[in-house]
Amino acid sequence: MDVLMPQLGETVAEGKITQWFKSAGDAVKPGDNLFEIETDKVSMEVPSTTAGVLAEIRVPAGEVAPVGAVVAVIADGTAASAPPAAETLSKPAPSSAPASRSAPLAASAAAAQPAAAAPVKLDPFFEVRTPQRNYGPARLAGGRSATPLARRLAAEGGIDLAAVSPSGPHGRIVARDVEAAARAAPKAVQRPSAAAGVALATGPSAEEVKALYRDVPFQEVPLDGMRRIIAARLVQAKQTIPHFYLTADVEIGRLISLREDANAAAPKDSDGKPAFKLSLNDLIIKAWAAALQRVPAANAVWAQDRILRFQHSDVAVAVAIDGGLITPVIRRVEAKTLSAISNEMKELAARARARKLTPDEYQGGSSTISNLGMYGVREFSAIINPPQATVLAVGAARRQAVEKEDGGVAFASVLSVTLSCDHRVVDGALGAELLAAFQRFVERPVTMLV
């Protein structure tokens, strides 16, 4: 039995094997963990679905393989050996497999099923088709083909695959070919992006940048999968989304009082541990969800030829992790209590830092909150995470002199928030209405609880 690199989410095209729990020759049974993989967002352990002997490990720890690649072979019996590579390469892809993304080994086999009737050989660079995303044709003119990662990089970077020289097996274009083409002749291979209709800039090559600092000591840090994806997506977002920004100062004195009263009244267990401990961010999440409900036209995302508007407020929250960030999503925030939001956020953040989130927990969301207030940042503008149309950037709270209604002056607790909007979905007046609704809920927090 071939063990395949599983599919973890619609946009994941490859995974890195960080460790093997079994060695070649070890007996395995269903449920035994075989290896641990790491993608640009999560890490997870992959169990065996069959009993036998781990006859061969084809992708050692530390190496990256595309989704659907054969990473190991499990043979029946205790004396079985690994089948020759040629036999594995000629084995047809399975005709069917469960469609659920929660069964990683079976899902990768299903993704490998070709659209054509002719049998397709399974090898480490075979085609994987996912209906959720389309990065251009898998088969190119002249009978050539490109791996899923190569097609994605070409689509996101505006690279014409017809001008790329292949170096993969059987004349396939792999990711390194796209990257090399962009470095060698960016103007010759650059084409309009299918998503935006404009060319995406590639910037100077690594060698050109290093040449500027040849007399300066430096350390080269290779990009891992997460940093590559972050770089590609944010460049694409900034170049293809027409951003505009709205900033407001919000008084949070009543919000702070509500948090203190709620924490003081939290029930305690037999050990004296409170059932919850609200943070200021928990209340901001609740207020933002209420604002999205109050202004439903802004609770929407961009879908190329249409806008999708949502009934519920699914709020993504940016969480810093080692090497990057991830945005776990709290679903239906408008219907949840503050204590439920607080406990769920803490649990999601902990598993995000351990890279244990499932794709369903970080994909989607109708809007995002990015809070840098804990770092002392007073004000900043965040880049929209497509296909979302809004992101709220929250700064640090501060004491500030404000004018009272009677003309006097008093000090108040204030924080600055900046709303980034996609002008294709949210116009200026609509964005201002959304930010004003958020301000009202924060300054009168009891209104978001009724």
Side-chain angles (χ1 to χ4, degrees), residues 1-4 49 68-70 88-98 104-123 126-129:
M1 171 187 169
D2 293 335
V3 180
L4 308 180
T49 59
V70 179
T88 301
L89 295 180
S90 62
K91 182 179 179 180
S95 61
S96 62
L105 294 179
S108 59
Q113 177 64 24
V120 176
K121 295 180 179 180
L122 274 177
D123 63 42
F126 80 103
E127 296 300 327
V128 177
R129 294 171 174 81

Side-chain angles (χ1 to χ4, degrees), residues 255 280-288 369 371 394 415 438:
L255 203 67
L280 188 61
N281 200 53
D282 298 329
L283 280 79
I284 289 173
I285 294 171
K286 181 69 173 181
W288 188 239
I369 293 175
N371 191 341
V394 181
L415 59 78
F438 172 75

Side-chain angles (χ1 to χ4, degrees), residues 27-222:
V28 296
K29 59 182 183 294
D32 285 353
N33 287 328
L34 294 176
F35 58 94
E36 181 182 63
I37 59 174
E38 178 183 276
T39 70
D40 60 296
K41 295 183 180 295
V42 297
S43 63
M44 68 170 291
E45 297 169 347
V46 178
S48 173
T49 59
T50 187
V53 174
L54 184 59
E56 180 184 4
I57 293 177
R58 296 193 178 181
V59 180
E63 292 192 7
V64 176
V67 168
V70 179
V71 300
V73 176
I74 296 178
D76 293 334
T78 57
S81 58
E87 293 180 10
T88 301
L89 295 180
S90 62
K91 182 179 179 180
S95 61
S96 62
S100 172
R101 289 183 299 176
S102 63
L105 294 179
S108 59
Q113 177 64 24
V120 176
K121 295 180 179 180
L122 274 177
D123 63 42
F125 297 93
F126 80 103
E127 296 300 327
V128 177
R129 294 171 174 81
T130 54
Q132 295 86 353
R133 298 291 296 272
N134 181 11
Y135 294 111
R139 294 288 171 184
L140 307 174
R144 297 187 305 159
S145 62
T147 66
L149 179 58
R151 287 186 283 123
R152 190 191 70 203
L153 292 177
E156 293 178 347
I159 304 299
D160 186 359
L161 286 173
V164 177
S165 299
S167 66
H170 314 296
R172 284 175 171 81
I173 297 173
V174 294
R176 63 175 176 268
D177 300 327
V178 178
E179 294 168 347
R183 291 193 301 267
K187 293 183 180 179
V189 300
Q190 196 174 57
R191 62 171 173 77
S193 167
V198 296
L200 300 179
T202 58
S205 68
E207 296 304 320
E208 291 171 335
V209 174
K210 288 165 61 177
L212 298 174
Y213 301 97
R214 56 178 171 267
D215 298 326
V216 179
F218 61 83
Q219 176 187 5
E220 291 191 35
V221 181

Side-chain angles (χ1 to χ4, degrees), residues 319-336:
V319 175
I321 63 177
D322 186 25
L325 61 86
I326 194 169
T327 53
V329 180
I330 303 179
R331 311 286 177 181
R332 302 190 176 193
V333 178
E334 78 282 357
K336 293 181 177 178

Side-chain angles (χ1 to χ4, degrees), residues 248-415:
D249 289 335
V250 183
E251 292 189 27
I252 58 172
R254 292 182 180 178
L255 203 67
I256 293 174
S257 297
L258 173 62
R259 182 194 63 178
E260 293 174 347
D261 291 343
N263 287 338
K268 296 178 174 57
D269 59 19
S270 57
D271 297 328
K273 183 179 179 181
F276 60 85
K277 185 176 181 180
L278 300 182
S279 68
L280 188 61
N281 200 53
D282 298 329
L283 280 79
I284 289 173
I285 294 171
K286 181 69 173 181
W288 188 239
L292 292 170
Q293 291 293 302
R294 182 63 58 86
V295 188
N299 190 25
V301 301
W302 176 254
Q304 295 304 325
D305 63 344
R306 67 203 66 191
I307 293 172
L308 307 183
R309 291 181 178 172
F310 302 106
Q311 179 180 357
H312 301 290
S313 297
D314 295 339
V315 180
V317 183
V319 175
I321 63 177
D322 186 25
L325 61 86
I326 194 169
T327 53
V329 180
I330 303 179
R331 311 286 177 181
R332 302 190 176 193
V333 178
E334 78 282 357
K336 293 181 177 178
T337 64
L338 287 170
S339 60
I341 294 170
S342 179
N343 290 334
E344 184 174 348
M345 187 67 243
K346 288 181 176 65
E347 193 266 341
L348 287 171
R351 291 198 293 113
R353 296 186 181 100
R355 296 197 176 191
K356 297 299 182 183
L357 293 177
T358 62
D360 287 340
E361 292 175 318
Y362 60 78
Q363 291 179 347
S366 53
S367 185
T368 295
I369 293 175
S370 181
N371 191 341
L372 295 180
M374 65 287 293
Y375 298 102
V377 176
R378 176 174 175 174
E379 180 183 328
F380 70 102
S381 300
I383 299 175
I384 295 170
N385 183 25
Q388 294 177 7
T390 56
V391 54
L392 184 70
V394 181
R398 64 188 184 276
R399 296 289 291 175
Q400 178 177 303
V402 297
E403 183 180 1
K404 299 169 60 177
E405 292 182 359
D406 61 2
V409 176
F411 279 89
S413 295
V414 176
L415 59 78

